[in-house]
Amino acid sequence: MLDLYASGAALGALVGVALLAATVRGSFLALVYPASAAAAVVLGIVDLHVLLGGGVATAHLPIGLPTIGLHLRLDALSAFFGLVVNGGVLAASLYGMGLDRAKEMTPRVEPLFALFVAAMNLVLLADDAYAFLFSWELMSLASWALVIARHTDPECRRAAHLYLVMAAIGTVALLFAFGGLAGQAGGYAFSTMRNQAPQPLIAALILLAALVGCGSKGGLIPLHAWLPLAHPAAPSHVSALMSGVMTKVAIYCFIRIAFDLLGSPAWWWALPPIVLGVLTAVLGLLYAVLDGDLKRVLAYSTIENVGVIFVALGLALAFRANGQDGAAAVAMAAALLHCLNHSWFKSLLFLGAGVVLHATGRRDLDGLGGLIHRMPRTAVFFLVGALAIAALPPLNGFVSEWLLFQAVMAAPELPQAALHFASPAIGAMLALAAALAAACFVRVYGTAFLGRPRSAEAATAHEAPLIQQVALGGLAVLCVLGGLLGSVLAWALGPVLAQTVGSALPGDGSGPTPLSLVAFDPERSIYDAPVIALFVLIASLATMLVVHRLSARRTRRGPAWDCGFPDPSPLTQYTASSFAQPLRRVYGTTAFAARETVDMPPPGDGRPARLTVVSVDYAWQAFYAVPARLLLRLSERLNALQFLSIRRYLGLMFAALVILLSIAALTT
Amino acid sequence: MTGDLILQFLAQGAQMTMVLLIAPLAVGVVRLVKARLMRRQGPSLLQGYRDLAKLLRKESVIAESASWLFRSAPYLIFALTWVAAALVPSFASGLMFNWAADVVALVALLGAARALLALAGMDVGTSFGGIGSSREIMIATLAEPAMMLIVLTLAIAAGTTRLAGVADFFIAEPWAVRVSLALSLIALVIVALAENARIPVDNPATHLELTMVHEAMILEYSGRHLALIEAASHLKLVLYLSLLICLFAPFGMAPATAGVAGWLAGLVLWAAKLLLGAALLGVWEVSIAKMRVFRLPDFVGVAFVFGFLAILLAFLSRGAVA
């Protein structure tokens, strides 16, 4: 109970600061970030206490809808996601404290930032459908308003418009999901829903509605189109929150419905999240690897990570439906750890992109380059984030990836043919996604931070303010620690796993060393990050010592060799687009029907040669452009109804009456 | 107990030293076999060692636009590859390192080394570095899904992804070689060729500008840095050969408790199998031409298809057993 009081006080204070900032403005705008940071710390401590202490805090307040009131509940699941949310909030707030009050703070952003933070925390606390949807909408609208903060930019307006439409569709879907869960009696409190299992058909519809609702917020293909537009359009620390944290709230919602409220699963529930997740993971990265805008690449990669998490959740559903709780715990642990890890490295990368944007004023990869020389610390932090998101050991991204692969390798043991024959395809697609993630972030880092500057702005970039470096550095340290101490994190997940799938990972001491991560049993597979990292460290130090002793230690700086023809112009470097060209030719021709045509003028003609690439976004065509066109055409047809004679209108009304009456007569 | 631990530690150290020492010899065997088949005299078997020693003695010329990443990457790449190579059981199973990571982690370690190398290739800001990095990464995206399928087949067959466990499983029932494993052997050979930048994927002997992949990436390196990168690529060759031996020809591998005499026997057998594998690679490289870069999806795609078939067969055979 004390936990909820503390949370309530923190959230209340935060909303108070938001109101002050919105009304008084002035110096209160700058107060938002320290207040958010403090609130994040308080809320994080509460979450940690609930998660590790194993308690459940509940409250019932007589506000809200008269018949329901307001139910609040903080259990292991919401506490874990609270930690995810508030870690990201803390980093984003620290970054915000480095913003220039006079130039970079407006009443359009800062008050809404605090409101957005409070709304995300409220979603996690809500324990009835009304409170949940209210805070969910608050979260959507606050982030929408943050997207449209730069409303003079037509790109932002378009992004915000699409976001608003998709958020509305998502909320409607969730409305149906909760309606189905409440049943005919209309029990809107989660505790009532938990105790009544819906009919199988209804349950399936609820699951699909939840998938649409959460998928549209998380960016599951084909509901993703708004995300790569809206996330980059917001200020960078808000992008970090939207991408790193808000997508996790969507995943929380799916877990809450599918693993908590909906009762025991049927095996085929696993198929929609797995199929959509795999598709999202691969396509998201293909979009990312072909895009040239730093922040949009990050947003596309968020889509990929959400897809990976949904695959893990789908596997957890499949294992749980078959009573394989151990494997379900592995899949669930992969999903949860990936949520946590992604919130760290994606926030890190978005904040890093913000620093780059501030230092150079550019987001296009082909205009950056050589930032490692001008922004040495940011470059190190960004490198950690890039390697972590590429799922490379010994960083944190690989821990969840490893657990997920272990879960996939247990999938052939599932009795349903559809699932165990799908398992190699899932494994191969996830491996492709991992390899593409490495490609994507080598490309991003290689063009933005390495090489030579491609523009005057990049050549004169400056390092970020200290407090922003602290935010980036803290997240980078978390990425390293999370990679080394994955087994500790997996242990801390115990209560959440027990709550969602009723089992946990093998505990401490089951592996040969105390910090080794064991998925099933040590005979089967082990990932011992500390030992590997230690040996890599020892091996590199020993190599360094030996090589320096044996070799001529002379080093000379000279012009680049480049096969004997170095060109001083930085334009001769490989760009982000040229880096992506082989990938576009291999994958893009199928996925996006990408075609390139080269217009080479004949000798003697002075025109420049031209390379044109045309590609088709099938998802946009099929799910957005065509339906929108149909809708327009339909409304044009219906437009004719506005200009009828009164006789016709009366006839129509009479026909409607007859039809309704005959329906009533037939059904009763 | 302590004595046993020290012995284990020494055995692990011996394995780390062995893979390091034998790597230039294995490359020497490949080169010699290729030269002899082309009716050339060929370099001495020890040329690999001489090259490394020569590179170590030379000064390093570093491009003006290079950053710290360019200078530190060779050490990390070498260390990562070395540790990965030490993870593959060679002459004995159940050594200390065999417990630290399974084959998924092994592939990921190599992935980390590759990502660092690709980054280093882009660091100087030349067109060749970029071309090499981008193609290397493209090839990796083709090879990794196939590798995952192979791992999955092994996991289904042996019930474990620990390499030592898989090796023990195949030693225990050596004649239960099923068709699916033959298919995954072909797939793994193709993946190994792609990962090691061998013909037909890449030509390690080329310096023709537009066909280079691996060589283009490391074009700016010289002196001790180049020596480390070369040593790392030799190690990677030994790693994949060891992996093939460990998975498909593990007979003669000593169990962890075999003691020094058993280990020595295992060591000799492993070295013989390794050098035989290197000789076979030489024969293969002479008998096939390098492919165009954009034919590679077809070639590595074969590995993918075979990996997939292998899994389906593994399902069916398991279904027949069960």
Side-chain angles (χ1 to χ4, degrees):
Chain A
M1 202 61 213
L2 190 66
D3 295 318
L4 279 177
Y5 282 131
S7 304
L11 290 177
L14 198 56
V15 173
V17 171
L19 286 177
L20 275 178
T23 50
V24 185
R25 304 183 177 185
S27 57
F28 278 100
L29 286 182
L31 196 62
V32 162
Y33 295 114
S36 306
V41 170
V42 171
L43 291 163
I45 290 173
V46 169
D47 290 327
L48 203 60
H49 176 238
V50 170
L51 183 64
L52 298 182
V56 175
T58 52
H60 185 199
L61 302 178
I63 50 176
L65 283 193
T67 48
I68 311 172
L70 175 67
H71 296 261
L72 297 176
R73 184 162 185 264
L74 191 58
D75 55 13
L77 181 62
S78 23
F80 170 75
F81 277 92
L83 280 174
V84 172
V85 167
N86 291 308
V89 168
L90 182 59
S93 309
L94 286 179
Y95 177 95
M97 280 152 79
L99 293 177
D100 189 333
R101 190 197 303 171
K103 287 185 207 150
E104 295 173 280
M105 294 198 184
T106 68
R108 286 183 179 277
V109 173
E110 272 63 32
L112 290 162
F113 179 89
L115 196 66
F116 182 41
V117 169
M120 286 193 292
N121 272 296
L122 263 181
V123 173
L124 303 178
L125 287 177
D127 195 37
D128 65 74
Y130 180 76
F132 188 96
L133 286 172
F134 177 81
S135 31
W136 180 272
E137 269 304 272
L138 196 62
M139 174 179 88
S140 295
L141 289 178
S143 53
W144 170 78
L146 286 164
V147 169
I148 205 160
R150 286 191 301 118
H151 59 101
T152 46
D153 184 353
E155 286 273 312
C156 282
R157 286 205 300 273
R158 174 161 178 260
H161 174 81
L162 194 57
Y163 178 27
L164 197 62
V165 172
M166 293 307 294
I169 291 176
T171 309
V172 167
L174 282 184
L175 205 60
F176 276 111
F178 283 121
L181 280 167
Q184 291 184 330
Y188 283 98
F190 284 177
S191 51
T192 327
M193 294 179 183
R194 221 168 265 135
N195 293 329
Q196 56 187 29
Q199 306 285 321
L201 185 66
I202 304 286
L205 289 176
I206 292 172
L207 187 87
L208 288 183
L211 201 60
V212 171
C214 307
S216 71
K217 187 61 81 195
L220 214 53
I221 286 175
L223 304 163
H224 69 287
W226 65 274
L227 196 148
L229 300 175
H231 284 196
S236 295
H237 56 306
V238 179
S239 309
L241 278 191
M242 290 178 77
S243 244
V245 170
M246 189 173 69
T247 52
K248 307 305 169 306
V249 177
I251 286 160
Y252 162 80
C253 173
F254 186 76
I255 296 180
R256 180 61 82 191
I257 292 179
F259 287 86
D260 186 18
L261 302 179
L262 205 47
S264 54
W267 71 266
W268 52 267
W269 288 9
L271 291 178
I274 289 180
V275 171
L276 288 183
V278 162
L279 209 66
T280 306
V282 173
L283 276 179
L285 268 174
L286 284 179
Y287 281 117
V289 90
L290 299 182
D291 205 282
D293 178 306
L294 176 56
K295 285 179 79 176
R296 205 156 53 220
V297 169
L298 294 178
Y300 274 126
S301 124
T302 296
I303 296 179
E304 179 254 349
N305 283 284
V306 168
V308 167
I309 295 170
F310 268 101
V311 173
L313 291 176
L315 285 172
L317 277 174
F319 289 124
R320 191 156 165 254
N322 286 300
Q324 299 179 1
D325 284 348
V330 174
M332 194 59 167
L336 295 174
L337 267 186
H338 205 67
C339 284
L340 186 64
N341 292 336
H342 183 250
S343 79
W344 289 345
F345 46 66
K346 189 47 66 68
S347 302
L348 169 56
L349 292 172
F350 258 119
L351 296 181
V355 168
V356 170
L357 181 60
H358 187 262
T360 62
R362 310 188 68 132
R363 285 168 30 180
D364 54 326
L365 287 171
D366 288 348
L368 298 170
L371 295 178
I372 196 169
H373 301 285
R374 308 283 313 177
M375 314 169 74
R377 296 208 191 101
T378 307
V380 173
F381 302 145
F382 201 94
L383 179 63
V384 172
L387 294 179
I389 200 170
L392 296 176
L395 298 170
N396 62 346
F398 180 66
V399 177
S400 34
E401 195 84 9
W402 185 83
L403 279 172
L404 180 54
F405 277 126
Q406 298 303 321
V408 171
M409 277 185 249
E413 288 156 33
L414 288 167
Q416 290 84 14
L419 288 173
H420 72 234
F421 279 110
S423 61
I426 300 169
M429 294 294 257
L430 287 177
L432 176 61
L436 282 174
C440 176
F441 284 93
V442 164
R443 169 177 177 265
V444 165
Y445 196 80
T447 37
F449 283 88
L450 304 179
R452 290 172 286 161
R454 293 179 181 81
S455 65
E457 295 93 330
T460 54
H462 55 85
E463 187 55 283
L466 186 65
I467 187 85
Q468 298 190 342
Q469 289 181 26
V470 169
L472 292 173
L475 288 169
V477 168
L478 281 178
C479 287
V480 175
L481 284 183
L484 295 179
L485 303 177
S487 57
V488 177
L489 291 179
W491 164 80
L493 284 179
V496 192
L497 296 178
Q499 185 191 345
T500 48
V501 294
S503 178
L505 295 184
D508 279 354
S510 53
T513 57
L515 290 177
S516 55
L517 182 64
V518 178
F520 293 93
D521 70 287
E523 277 300 321
R524 187 151 151 179
S525 54
I526 290 176
Y527 170 55
D528 200 336
V531 167
I532 293 177
L534 184 71
F535 271 81
V536 170
L537 194 69
I538 293 175
S540 42
L541 289 180
T543 314
M544 215 175 278
L545 275 178
V546 171
V547 166
H548 275 228
R549 170 131 320 170
L550 282 184
S551 74
R553 290 162 63 187
R554 276 167 302 161
T555 308
R556 185 158 55 89
R557 287 273 179 178
W561 156 236
D562 206 15
C563 261
F565 300 96
D567 191 313
S569 162
L571 292 178
T572 57
Q573 295 178 86
Y574 242 46
T575 59
S577 351
S578 35
F579 191 91
Q581 190 251 6
L583 291 165
R584 189 179 65 230
R585 276 187 66 169
V586 173
Y587 300 100
T589 41
T590 334
F592 307 120
R595 295 280 174 277
E596 47 187 64
T597 43
V598 182
D599 175 30
M600 183 70 79
D605 192 339
R607 280 184 299 128
R610 201 160 275 286
L611 174 86
T612 324
V613 179
V614 195
S615 63
V616 186
D617 187 347
Y618 288 120
W620 174 264
Q621 286 294 333
F623 293 94
Y624 297 84
V626 171
R629 219 176 302 141
L630 287 180
L631 199 67
L632 269 183
R633 202 174 299 162
L634 188 69
S635 54
E636 272 168 22
R637 287 280 164 80
L638 291 178
N639 199 16
L641 289 179
Q642 277 191 312
F643 307 103
L644 299 182
S645 63
I646 194 149
R647 187 164 47 86
R648 292 253 168 99
Y649 277 128
L650 286 174
L652 278 178
M653 283 161 76
F654 182 69
L657 195 64
V658 169
I659 290 170
L660 285 177
L661 280 175
S662 50
I663 288 175
L666 283 175
T667 48
T668 46
Chain B
M1 186 65 207
T2 330
D4 199 36
L5 200 68
I6 291 173
L7 201 62
Q8 286 279 330
F9 200 82
L10 284 180
Q12 184 63 57
Q15 168 158 347
M16 285 193 80
T17 327
M18 277 310 300
V19 289
L20 192 61
L21 289 182
I22 207 168
L25 182 65
V27 174
V29 169
V30 180
R31 285 188 193 147
L32 187 68
V33 169
K34 277 174 76 172
R36 286 293 158 88
L37 286 175
M38 292 192 271
R39 310 205 63 177
R40 285 193 284 114
Q41 184 72 38
S44 137
L45 276 178
L46 302 179
Q47 193 57 40
Y49 300 96
R50 291 190 196 133
D51 285 347
L52 289 180
K54 183 189 70 184
L55 284 173
L56 279 177
R57 279 202 307 274
K58 296 237 171 196
E59 72 172 350
S60 275
V61 185
I62 295 172
E64 277 139 4
S65 50
S67 70
W68 57 265
L69 193 137
F70 185 81
R71 301 180 66 161
S72 44
Y75 297 97
L76 273 174
I77 291 164
F78 178 78
L80 281 167
T81 320
W82 193 14
V83 168
L87 285 170
V88 181
S90 54
F91 60 87
S93 68
L95 293 184
M96 269 166 64
F97 253 28
N98 299 158
W99 287 98
D102 66 346
V103 62
V104 179
L106 179 83
V107 173
L109 275 178
L110 290 176
R114 176 176 43 229
L116 282 174
L117 190 57
L119 284 175
M122 299 185 80
D123 189 39
V124 175
T126 58
S127 37
F128 280 119
I131 207 172
S133 300
S134 107
R135 286 178 178 177
E136 173 94 357
I137 288 285
M138 184 269 283
I139 295 171
T141 63
L142 293 170
E144 283 202 357
M147 188 69 196
M148 183 64 206
L149 290 177
I150 299 165
V151 174
L152 203 58
T153 317
L154 294 173
I156 293 170
T160 170
T161 52
R162 270 187 336 110
L163 282 170
V166 180
D168 285 340
F169 174 81
F170 286 129
I171 293 173
E173 34 180 333
W175 305 117
V177 181
R178 300 180 188 138
V179 189
S180 70
L181 293 176
L183 290 178
S184 28
L185 171 64
I186 300 174
L188 185 56
V189 168
I190 294 178
V191 169
L193 289 172
E195 292 276 349
N196 280 295
R198 309 304 301 196
I199 295 175
V201 175
D202 189 9
N203 187 351
T206 189
H207 267 107
L208 271 175
E209 281 93 356
L210 294 177
T211 61
M212 294 187 291
V213 179
H214 182 81
E215 293 297 320
M217 252 193 313
I218 63 173
L219 202 57
E220 297 298 326
Y221 276 113
S222 56
R224 57 176 184 275
H225 299 132
L226 184 59
L228 282 172
I229 296 218
E230 290 289 339
S233 64
H234 297 170
L235 272 174
K236 201 170 170 186
L237 182 66
V238 169
L239 185 156
Y240 270 94
L241 286 173
S242 280
L243 190 63
L244 282 164
I245 294 170
C246 162
L247 296 181
F248 297 102
F251 56 85
M253 188 187 285
T257 50
V260 178
W263 284 342
L264 275 180
L267 190 63
V268 172
L269 204 59
W270 169 71
K273 284 188 278 189
L274 189 77
L275 296 181
L276 180 70
L280 284 177
L281 176 63
V283 176
W284 163 265
E285 288 209 314
V286 182
S287 45
I288 194 162
K290 188 191 168 305
M291 283 181 181
R292 283 196 309 130
V293 169
F294 289 107
R295 287 277 311 283
L296 287 182
D298 302 338
F299 178 66
V300 187
V302 172
F304 187 79
V305 170
F306 275 28
F308 222 96
L309 285 177
I311 289 204
L312 293 187
L313 282 173
F315 278 142
L316 294 180
S317 61
R318 199 187 52 156
V321 171

